[in-house]
Amino acid sequence: EQAGDDGGLQTEPYAVQTVLAEQSIVRRPPGQIRTTVAARMRRQNSVLRRRPLTLSVILDESVLRRGLGGAAVMREQLAHLTRVAELPTVTLRVRPFDRPEPPPGVGSFTLLRFGETFHDVVFVELLSGGVYLEDEATTFHYGQVFELLAGQSLDPAASVAAIEAVAAECWRRRSRGGPGARYGRSEEH
């Protein structure tokens, strides 16, 4: 179960752009950028492989509108999300802007649930790496936060419709301008 956008459903161009966006804060060497993107693509394979894992994802609406990499990258990313949302092992929810703020200190996290075979584990991606949390009280708390965020999110069908609406509104092919233009990003023509 994943809350946020830590790479589990990112296309490679979008993953590259998310890592490059961090460069203004933490400079990574080129090899580490490639390794980070490759790790995100491998993580995604666990959902797309022959015997996939079950994945529940909550994306904040801001992720759909952020504009990393320009219009072409965003169109590809949002189309990818709608395709992956059709998989029987994936539940994708969008948490709209008009919902209450999440609890303080809650960022992107992945809650790994193993059922009876192993205890729950939380992965929190940080600016320069990540951390696994295994303490029972901590993982229980993250489970509660995930359920809270899921309850504040659109259902899966409405989430796909919201992704498609944002794609049409913000990232369709434009003759000029676009959401990224006001931030100095170039738009594809």
Side-chain angles (χ1 to χ4, degrees):
E1 298 175 328
Q2 180 178 328
D5 183 27
D6 76 346
L9 296 179
Q10 295 176 350
T11 61
E12 188 167 345
Y14 186 82
V16 168
Q17 292 301 315
T18 61
V19 174
L20 290 177
E22 297 168 355
Q23 289 288 83
S24 65
I25 301 168
V26 174
R27 304 287 297 166
R28 293 183 189 204
Q32 189 179 17
I33 292 171
R34 286 189 297 276
T35 302
T36 300
V37 170
R40 290 180 181 189
M41 296 302 98
R42 279 193 308 275
R43 214 174 330 166
Q44 190 171 147
N45 287 338
S46 65
V47 176
L48 302 175
R49 67 186 181 197
R50 186 185 206 160
R51 292 178 49 200
L53 299 176
T54 300
L55 180 66
S56 296
V57 178
I58 301 168
L59 294 176
D60 191 83
E61 184 178 351
S62 65
V63 171
L64 309 177
R65 297 178 181 274
R66 190 171 295 138
L68 292 174
V73 170
M74 289 305 297
R75 279 194 302 274
E76 180 183 358
Q77 175 63 24
L78 297 186
H80 175 70
L81 288 173
T82 59
R83 283 191 305 272
V84 172
E86 295 174 4
L87 296 173
T89 56
V90 175
T91 302
L92 182 95
R93 292 181 181 351
V94 172
R95 192 170 172 280
F97 286 135
D98 65 355
R99 303 303 156 90
E101 286 294 315
V106 173
S108 180
F109 66 91
T110 302
L111 175 61
L112 305 164
R113 290 190 167 156
F114 300 98
E116 298 299 317
T117 61
F118 196 70
H119 60 81
D120 294 349
V121 176
V122 172
F123 176 74
V124 179
E125 188 165 349
L126 305 171
L127 192 56
S128 60
V131 62
Y132 288 94
L133 307 170
E134 298 186 35
D135 174 73
E136 183 180 8
T138 301
T139 59
F140 179 76
H141 176 71
Y142 274 93
Q144 289 179 311
V145 170
F146 187 87
E147 296 305 321
L148 171 74
L149 297 175
Q152 296 174 347
S153 300
L154 301 173
D155 66 52
S159 294
V160 169
I163 293 168
E164 291 169 341
V166 169
E169 173 191 338
C170 296
W171 305 116
R172 66 181 177 269
R173 294 188 189 276
R174 300 171 186 269
S175 58
R176 64 182 351 171
R182 64 192 137 154
Y183 301 110
R185 285 179 255 160
S186 62
E187 290 292 318
E188 182 180 90
H189 300 290

